[in-house]
């Protein structure tokens, strides 16, 4: 597809540079090339992407960018900066720009940034499936158990369709929790990305119960290595557009990397699963700090404390104080949890009145009652920007 660029530059040298950069994108056209002194009142509706050389200490420019990015009809804005510092990223986030690019803007860098842009169809129907990611603060804290049982309760109580996606690509264990021997996994979707439509997606999902379906993780560790962030981005965006599902719950596992940041980017809510141990809580705090640094701290993140024992070493007040926020829900510890996992029978199904399930029901109720906000940020690019800072 043709990409139509508009350039706004500060110096003629940079105009020349940006024009060269755009030529590296096949089938691209330049519709406007203009000095920052001549910014238009409204952006050209024929433009797909604005590439703008950012000028520091120019409040008028900041205001113009803010106005442009808050207009839903305006094309996305990419900033070109001499270097990308944390301060720049924070500012850019506040201004609502899509990407920050610094010298040298290689073909790959710009191509990737373009691929991250939502498609026209995305913008039209975004939010059809509300995506919620479950991220473990540490291995073994119960992320998969919580995600599976909340998915079950959500489907049961809302009577709406829920899709559970196992994105712990290496060690996905959702199939065991449901005692499923699925014929297909996410790898089949990756291999057939070109044919991905609603029928195909339906045909590869495992039906756990009437309103709950599972997209399992690959069965072999080496298969996980073949999945790229770009492929995952396409699959998750496609799921988000499906009108057949009210919820897309994702078991992200406990790693933060280029792959697992995809569901975090595309989720309306991220639930951090922790246990009441110092290592898990310290990790939770670090994760919250990272998310805060990325500009995403706030209502889009909640903490669930699993394996909770009210008589344990730490009180809930102490934990809230340590984390600097209130824990959304606690889930009691019980030996029956381990048993249910080993039997491949969901506790929420076999013992719905169990205290653990009463706690999990609160998490499902939170999802049903909460008017979740959509995030439109591209975390990996922000992270990459932070890593590359001087
Ligand atoms: N509420 C609970 N009470 C008691 N034990 C629990 C509870 N939740 C989880 N467990 C125990 O923790 C183990 C790990 O649970 P689970 O596999 O869901 O964790 P995880 O965070 O997904 O682990 P992994 O890092 O391997 O992905 C279970 O086998 C179970 O025995
Ligand atoms: Mg797990």
């Amino acid at each position: 597809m043709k990409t139509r660029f508009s350039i706004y530059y500060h110096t003629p040298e940079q105009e020349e540079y940006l024009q060269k950069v755009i030529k590296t994108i096949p089938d691209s056209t330049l519709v406007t090339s203009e000095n920052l002194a001549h910014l238009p009142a409204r952006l050209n509706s024929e433009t797909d992407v604005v590439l703008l050389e950012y000028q520091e200490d120019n409040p008028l420019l900041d205001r113009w960018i803010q106005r442009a990015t808050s207009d839903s009809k305006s094309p996305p804005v990419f900033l070109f900066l001499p270097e990308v510092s944390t301060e720049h990223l924070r500012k850019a986030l506040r201004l609502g720009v899509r990407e920050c690019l610094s010298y040298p803007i290689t073909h790959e860098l710009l191509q990737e940034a373009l691929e991250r842009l939502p498609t026209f169809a995305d913008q039209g129907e975004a939010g059809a499936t509300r995506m919620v990611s479950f991220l473990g603060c540490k291995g073994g804290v119960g992320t998969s158990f919580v995600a599976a049982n909340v998915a079950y309760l959500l489907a049961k109580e809302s009577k709406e369709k829920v899709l559970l996606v196992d994105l712990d690509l290496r060690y996905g264990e959702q199939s065991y929790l449901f005692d499923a021997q699925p014929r297909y996994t996410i790898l089949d979707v990756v291999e057939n990305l070109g044919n991905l439509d609603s029928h195909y997606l339906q045909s590869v999902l495992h039906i756990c119960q009437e309103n709950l379906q599972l997209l399992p993780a690959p069965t072999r560790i080496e298969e996980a290595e073949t999945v790229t962030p770009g492929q995952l981005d396409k699959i998750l965006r496609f799921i988000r557009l499906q009108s057949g599902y009210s919820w897309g719950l994702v078991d992200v596992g406990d790693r933060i990397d280029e792959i697992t940041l995809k569901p975090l980017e595309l989720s309306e809510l991220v639930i951090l699963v922790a246990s009441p141990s110092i290592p898990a809580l310290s990790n939770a705090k670090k994760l919250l700090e990272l998310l805060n640094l990325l500009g995403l701290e706030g209502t889009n993140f909640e903490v669930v404390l699993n394996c909770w024992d009210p008589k344990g070493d730490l009180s809930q007040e102490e934990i809230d104080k340590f984390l600097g926020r209130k824990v959304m829900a606690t889930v009691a510890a019980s030996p029956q949890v381990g048993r249910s996992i080993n039997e491949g029978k969901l506790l929420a199904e076999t013992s719905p009145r169990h205290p653990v399930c009463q706690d999990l029901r609160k998490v499902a109720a939170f999802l049903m009652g909460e008017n979740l906000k959509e995030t439109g940020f591209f975390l990996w690019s922000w992270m990459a920007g932070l890593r590359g800072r001087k």
Side-chain angles (χ1 to χ4, degrees):
M1 207 189 76
K2 230 180 175 63
T3 310
R4 297 160 304 177
F5 286 90
S6 279
I7 290 175
Y8 294 97
Y9 55 89
H10 181 40
T11 58
E13 296 76 45
Q14 299 302 8
E15 176 190 22
E16 202 179 315
Y17 177 66
L18 292 176
Q19 289 192 2
K20 246 193 241 157
V21 164
I22 284 171
K23 282 200 188 118
T24 66
I25 302 295
D27 219 7
S28 62
T29 49
L30 184 63
V31 289
T32 317
S33 192
E34 197 58 87
N35 193 288
L36 284 178
H38 305 295
L39 287 170
R42 287 188 81 84
L43 278 169
N44 188 336
S45 61
E46 300 293 300
T47 301
D48 297 311
V49 176
V50 173
L51 197 48
L52 184 146
E53 185 191 353
Y54 187 65
Q55 202 183 13
E56 302 271 8
D57 305 319
N58 183 345
L60 281 178
L61 178 62
D62 286 356
R63 227 169 298 147
W64 183 88
I65 296 173
Q66 212 154 20
R67 242 195 354 259
T69 57
S70 57
D71 179 350
S72 60
K73 292 196 187 75
S74 279
V77 177
F78 290 4
L79 290 192
F80 171 50
L81 303 125
E83 57 155 348
V84 182
S85 67
T86 313
E87 201 36 56
H88 286 130
L89 289 175
R90 278 172 189 268
K91 190 162 190 186
L93 197 58
R94 273 202 304 277
L95 294 175
V97 305
R98 281 280 171 184
E99 301 277 345
C100 285
L101 304 168
S102 68
Y103 185 82
I105 308 178
T106 59
H107 160 73
E108 288 74 26
L109 213 78
L110 187 56
Q111 188 65 44
E112 279 173 22
L114 293 173
E115 280 167 16
R116 279 192 290 268
L117 287 175
T119 61
F120 180 69
D122 280 349
Q123 288 164 3
E125 291 182 69
T129 307
R130 283 161 283 179
M131 303 297 288
V132 178
S133 285
F134 289 78
L135 173 66
C137 295
K138 199 178 170 304
V141 290
T143 311
S144 300
F145 167 75
V146 171
N149 283 271
V150 168
Y152 176 88
L153 290 168
L154 193 57
K156 189 106 185 140
E157 311 226 332
S158 70
K159 298 188 174 48
E160 291 174 19
K161 284 215 170 353
V162 177
L163 172 57
L164 179 60
V165 184
D166 194 346
L167 285 189
D168 189 346
L169 292 181
R170 290 188 187 83
Y171 300 109
E173 56 198 282
Q174 289 297 344
S175 296
Y176 307 125
L177 291 173
F178 288 92
D179 195 19
Q181 281 99 35
R183 282 182 66 186
Y184 305 105
T185 71
I186 193 164
L187 205 68
D188 293 282
V189 183
V190 166
E191 283 166 4
N192 289 289
L193 258 186
N195 304 319
L196 182 56
D197 60 20
S198 306
H199 285 292
Y200 177 74
L201 183 67
Q202 283 293 324
S203 70
V204 295
L205 296 176
H206 175 82
I207 299 171
C208 303
Q209 55 118 322
E210 195 189 347
N211 282 328
L212 178 58
Q213 298 181 335
L214 169 68
L215 181 56
T219 45
R220 301 173 62 88
I221 296 174
E222 70 273 18
E223 290 175 342
E225 307 302 327
T226 65
V227 182
T228 68
Q231 291 164 335
L232 209 51
D233 188 77
K234 288 203 174 80
I235 295 171
L236 291 172
R237 283 185 190 281
F238 181 79
I239 290 173
R240 240 174 36 153
L241 288 177
Q242 297 306 294
S243 50
Y245 298 97
S246 293
W247 305 94
L249 267 49
V250 185
D251 179 352
V252 178
D254 64 296
R255 289 164 56 126
I256 291 268
D257 57 25
E258 208 173 350
I259 288 277
T260 58
L261 276 173
K262 275 289 152 216
L264 304 189
E265 277 173 16
L266 297 171
S267 289
E268 299 169 23
L269 174 72
V270 177
I271 293 183
L272 298 179
V273 182
S275 59
S277 72
I278 295 295
L281 290 168
S282 301
N283 285 2
K285 198 174 158 107
K286 281 186 207 164
L287 280 170
L288 287 167
E289 279 165 6
L290 173 68
L291 299 168
N292 183 33
L293 187 67
L294 294 165
L296 292 175
E297 207 268 340
T299 53
N300 298 16
F301 295 87
E302 296 289 344
V303 179
V304 167
L305 260 189
N306 188 33
C307 293
W308 176 245
D309 174 5
K311 296 197 191 90
D313 299 335
L314 301 165
S315 72
Q316 209 175 325
E317 290 73 41
E318 282 171 325
I319 293 173
D320 289 348
K321 199 165 164 213
F322 176 73
L323 294 177
R325 60 160 57 223
K326 262 187 120 39
V327 164
M328 186 252 274
T330 55
V331 179
S334 162
Q336 233 174 298
V337 171
R339 252 173 262 143
S340 77
I341 294 176
N342 289 337
E343 286 171 9
K345 292 201 170 79
L346 286 192
L347 194 65
E349 186 174 11
T350 55
S351 314
R353 289 175 194 281
H354 192 282
V356 168
C357 300
Q358 306 286 11
D359 291 340
L360 291 164
R361 201 167 275 115
K362 286 183 203 146
V363 182
F366 179 88
L367 299 188
M368 284 191 282
E370 183 73 15
N371 184 16
L372 301 170
K373 283 189 195 157
E374 198 193 332
T375 59
F377 304 120
F378 296 86
L379 283 182
W380 182 249
S381 56
W382 294 106
M383 286 273 286
L386 289 178
R387 276 188 319 172
R389 74 177 193 254
K390 299 240 162 92

